[in-house]
Amino acid sequence: MSDIEVGVNLEFVRSAHKPFREGIRIAAQLGYKYCEPCVSTGYDLLALGGYYHMLSMQDDPLEVKEWMDEVGIKPSAVSAHSPLMRPEVSIPYLTQAIRYASDIGAPVVTTDEGWRPEWMSEEEAFQIMRYTIRQVMRTAERYGIKVGLEPHASFTVRKDTFIRILELSDSPCWGVNWDPGNFYLGGKDDVYETLDAVAPRLFHMHGKDISFEQSEAERGKVTGTPVGCACGEGVIDWPRIIRILRKHGFRGVISVECGTIDQAQRSLQYLQKVIAETPAA
């Protein structure tokens, strides 16, 4: 078994209009051993109709675990992106996601900071995020589930403010879900230098590459994107990333975030090859 494994976010079957259960079957057929379910607090009629992969936390998580066990796939994380500056949303959502993750056997919950309301100052934002994170960590520590902060909005695509959010809690359960594609599109700081700085707190990572066309059109204008191109076909230097991960002793999952089934297949083949051929820095 490799020190670094490759999983997939179920976004790869959204374009094919497949539900979660069909998505993990396809992922297993492609050769993936890990997946990253995305969960909601209520019901989505499109998901209930089987048109895409979102799971409701009001349904039985142990049934979902049975589905994954049937196809031989494990959860690397639960995706539960939540606005940390709105504790009335984030605290119940993230604490429920932590319990859900525990039930299905996922070691990590991923989130980002969300968007700052227009009326809120930056200093107020950090005070509110501190409250939210510390409250959520009480549940995370009880369940032994890690929560990873992902670059995906204005504060987390800057190195200084990303680290400042990390430092709002010294809980061993509060750390990083690195997304090189989102951080690259933000265009504020160097992807690799920032990963090197936060890697000691890295729990999980997204395998998101950015096409050259998207880079030219959007870099510096956005702070993230739902999915990228196939890994190895865009701007991200994956051998350099693997060297940084190994330098810091990362043993975990890179969860591919791409837009199609074909891209998921090519991403897996490419990342497995890079992981096998790339030594530590």
Side-chain angles (χ1 to χ4, degrees):
M1 179 179 292
S2 172
D3 55 339
I4 302 171
E5 300 289 340
V6 184
V8 68
N9 186 296
L10 272 293
E11 285 288 335
F12 86 101
V13 293
R14 182 191 287 267
S15 63
H17 307 295
K18 301 295 185 182
F20 177 85
R21 194 171 185 180
E22 179 67 8
I24 57 172
R25 185 189 66 79
I26 294 170
Q29 287 180 339
L30 293 178
Y32 283 99
K33 302 299 182 184
Y34 294 89
C35 72
E36 183 182 357
C38 186
V39 296
S40 66
T41 53
Y43 286 106
D44 183 307
L45 294 181
L46 289 175
L48 284 176
Y51 294 105
Y52 83 118
H53 61 278
M54 181 74 74
L55 294 172
S56 171
M57 290 189 286
Q58 290 179 239
D59 287 331
D60 187 354
L62 296 185
E63 182 178 27
V64 173
K65 186 178 183 302
E66 288 174 0
W67 295 344
M68 290 187 288
D69 289 344
E70 285 173 2
V71 297
I73 208 163
K74 297 179 180 179
S76 65
V78 165
S79 180
H81 286 255
S82 187
L84 300 181
M85 287 161 273
R86 292 191 58 186
E88 75 279 12
V89 177
S90 289
I91 291 173
Y93 181 29
L94 287 173
T95 53
Q96 188 175 358
I98 287 165
R99 297 192 296 271
Y100 190 95
S102 178
D103 284 340
I104 68 170
V108 178
V109 169
T110 63
T111 191
D112 67 273
E113 82 274 29
W115 291 101
R116 174 164 60 99
E118 293 181 0
W119 54 265
M120 187 183 293
S121 71
E122 185 167 314
E123 190 55 42
E124 288 171 330
F126 277 88
Q127 291 174 1
I128 292 169
M129 285 192 288
R130 177 186 291 111
Y131 169 77
T132 300
I133 293 164
R134 292 186 178 185
Q135 185 65 41
V136 170
M137 286 304 103
R138 292 168 61 85
T139 301
E141 289 174 9
R142 290 190 193 102
Y143 282 82
I145 301 296
K146 296 176 171 64
V147 180
L149 178 67
E150 178 180 338
H152 221 319
S154 59
F155 291 139
T156 46
V157 294
R158 291 163 41 195
K159 178 181 178 181
D160 60 343
T161 44
F162 189 101
I163 291 174
R164 186 179 174 189
I165 297 174
L166 281 183
E167 291 175 344
L168 294 176
S169 172
D170 60 3
S171 171
C173 291
W174 178 238
V176 178
N177 174 61
W178 188 246
D179 189 310
N182 288 345
F183 200 85
Y184 173 88
L185 281 177
K188 305 298 183 185
D189 291 295
D190 185 83
V191 172
Y192 312 100
E193 291 177 3
T194 307
L195 172 59
D196 194 37
V198 303
R201 296 184 70 169
L202 183 67
F203 298 146
H204 189 261
M205 182 170 163
H206 280 164
K208 183 185 289 177
D209 210 335
I210 303 299
S211 71
F212 293 96
E213 294 80 8
Q214 186 176 10
S215 171
E216 184 175 346
E218 295 186 348
R219 192 176 191 205
K221 301 175 184 178
V222 300
T223 61
T225 187
V227 295
C229 63
C231 293
E233 298 179 7
V235 299
I236 300 300
D237 185 343
W238 290 102
R240 186 174 178 184
I241 282 179
I242 299 302
R243 288 195 296 271
I244 294 169
L245 298 183
R246 289 208 165 118
K247 169 186 171 183
H248 291 277
F250 175 72
R251 300 182 65 86
V253 175
I254 298 175
S255 180
V256 170
E257 280 197 324
C258 60
T260 69
I261 295 170
D262 287 343
Q263 288 175 354
Q265 184 174 30
R266 297 199 301 275
S267 294
L268 177 61
Q269 293 169 349
Y270 174 78
L271 288 176
Q272 286 179 331
K273 183 174 186 291
V274 171
I275 290 168
E277 296 178 353
T278 305

